[in-house]
Amino acid sequence: MNSANNAAVVVGVDGSESALRAVRLAATEAARRHRPLRVVHGFIWPLLHVPVSPAPDAPPGGGLRHRAEELIEAAVREAEATVPGLSISGEIIDGEAAAVLVGESPTAALIVLGDRGLGGFSALVVGSVAVQVAAYADCPVLVARGTQRPDEPVLVAVDGSDGSRRAADFAAETAVSLGVPLVALHAYRHPGSSGPGDMQPLVYDEAKLHGEQERMLTGWLTGLTEDHRGLRLTCRVVHGRPGSVLAEASRSAQLAVVGGRGRGEVTGLLLGSVSQSMLHHAQCPVVVVRAPQ
């Protein structure tokens, strides 16, 4: 996470309603963090050798470049209306949207984007740009999806991995800043369980196993309340598939935070199955916090 004082919150826009929701959320985040807001639009047409200026006989204000300028101006106005007085800048950057946002991430405090843009297929729950940026960005990525619930707690998925510890730190800092509790949730499955039914093997003592998982969660979070003064922490252990358990819990959260890849994930994956599941199914905005590669 970039902690430089001048590191901006960066939001990607494409003219979609999803992007405007992201702008509003990004403006609020920038104000809370005392950061400037940077609005960017990935302008892919020059890479495709498509003319971007108006045709010689076209009326004034035509052309793809002018349209991109209008997108930026509209997004900046939306941010100004959301948080008056916020320091806001806008820029058109030649390149594909995901590549542009990933390129911004090394010097950004946070990347914010919508869950599905103008190019998204209606059947997809989350757009490919959101997944790509969450997988490759060098800073936390906030995807504006679901419902914002300002009075509800922050939710974080914890599994003992380095990624989940970084996610817990991010979530704790956010919860304290917002003045709401943090719910640390650990979902577990029985050893050896598999298959659609995820049936419990009879040889396991459920109460004993649940107690062991609770002790593990407590150990993983040791020091979190000391590191984040004023943190109100609640720990929950639930048996079930992590993605499904977290998605259900997100119905009563204002923000869900997950690590980029958890314990037991395939090492070569840039984005773990739980984080991908949350990007597709969470009922509130989601932050993906990746561990350094």
Side-chain angles (χ1 to χ4, degrees):
M1 188 187 315
N2 194 321
S3 59
N5 290 333
N6 61 345
V9 171
V10 176
V11 59
V13 298
D14 63 0
S16 66
E17 179 53 38
S18 176
L20 287 180
R21 290 198 304 271
V23 166
R24 294 189 287 270
L25 183 57
T28 301
E29 282 294 311
R32 183 176 65 80
R33 296 164 178 269
H34 306 290
R35 304 276 187 172
L37 177 65
R38 178 168 160 78
V39 181
V40 300
H41 172 65
F43 193 56
I44 195 172
W45 302 112
L47 277 65
L48 302 178
H49 306 290
V50 174
V52 298
S53 300
D57 56 348
L64 294 172
R65 177 73 65 175
H66 181 75
R67 173 57 181 152
E69 292 170 350
E70 290 181 332
L71 292 180
I72 290 289
E73 291 169 1
V76 169
R77 288 195 301 270
E78 189 76 17
E80 290 173 339
T82 303
V83 182
L86 183 66
S87 175
I88 307 169
S89 62
E91 185 177 0
I92 299 168
I93 302 176
D94 290 353
E96 187 272 333
V100 165
L101 291 171
V102 171
E104 291 283 311
S105 68
T107 57
L110 181 73
I111 297 285
V112 186
L113 68 165
D115 60 345
R116 188 171 62 238
L118 288 173
F121 294 96
S122 59
L124 295 179
V125 181
V126 67
S128 61
V129 172
V131 174
Q132 291 177 58
V133 176
Y136 289 97
D138 290 325
C139 68
V141 175
L142 170 56
V143 178
R145 59 167 294 107
T147 302
Q148 292 180 246
R149 306 175 184 89
D151 298 326
E152 295 297 329
V154 172
L155 172 71
V156 63
V158 181
D159 65 2
S161 65
D162 290 342
S164 77
R165 175 64 202 206
R166 286 171 59 86
D169 280 327
F170 181 97
E173 179 184 343
T174 301
V176 171
S177 176
L178 292 169
V180 299
L182 173 64
V183 175
L185 177 60
H186 171 54
Y188 71 96
R189 298 172 66 187
H190 294 104
S193 61
S194 63
D198 194 20
M199 295 180 65
Q200 175 183 350
L202 296 179
V203 296
Y204 290 105
D205 182 327
E206 175 60 30
K208 180 179 178 181
L209 183 58
H210 191 90
E212 290 173 349
Q213 298 295 319
E214 288 182 329
R215 287 189 291 275
M216 288 171 61
L217 177 58
T218 300
W220 293 334
L221 296 176
T222 298
L224 195 65
T225 52
E226 286 79 6
D227 293 341
H228 302 276
R229 293 188 177 182
L231 177 65
R232 292 177 284 159
L233 177 63
T234 298
C235 296
R236 289 182 57 201
V237 172
V238 179
H239 170 250
R241 295 178 180 272
S244 300
V245 169
L246 288 162
E248 180 61 28
S250 71
R251 294 179 180 274
S252 56
Q254 67 167 290
L255 181 72
V257 185
V258 295
R261 188 174 64 239
R263 183 180 295 274
E265 301 275 14
V266 179
T267 304
L269 294 178
L270 285 168
L271 196 62
S273 59
V274 173
S275 49
Q276 288 205 47
S277 177
M278 287 297 282
L279 287 177
H280 285 83
H281 302 295
Q283 300 298 309
C284 66
V286 177
V287 176
V288 177
V289 182
R290 291 178 59 239
Q293 299 300 304

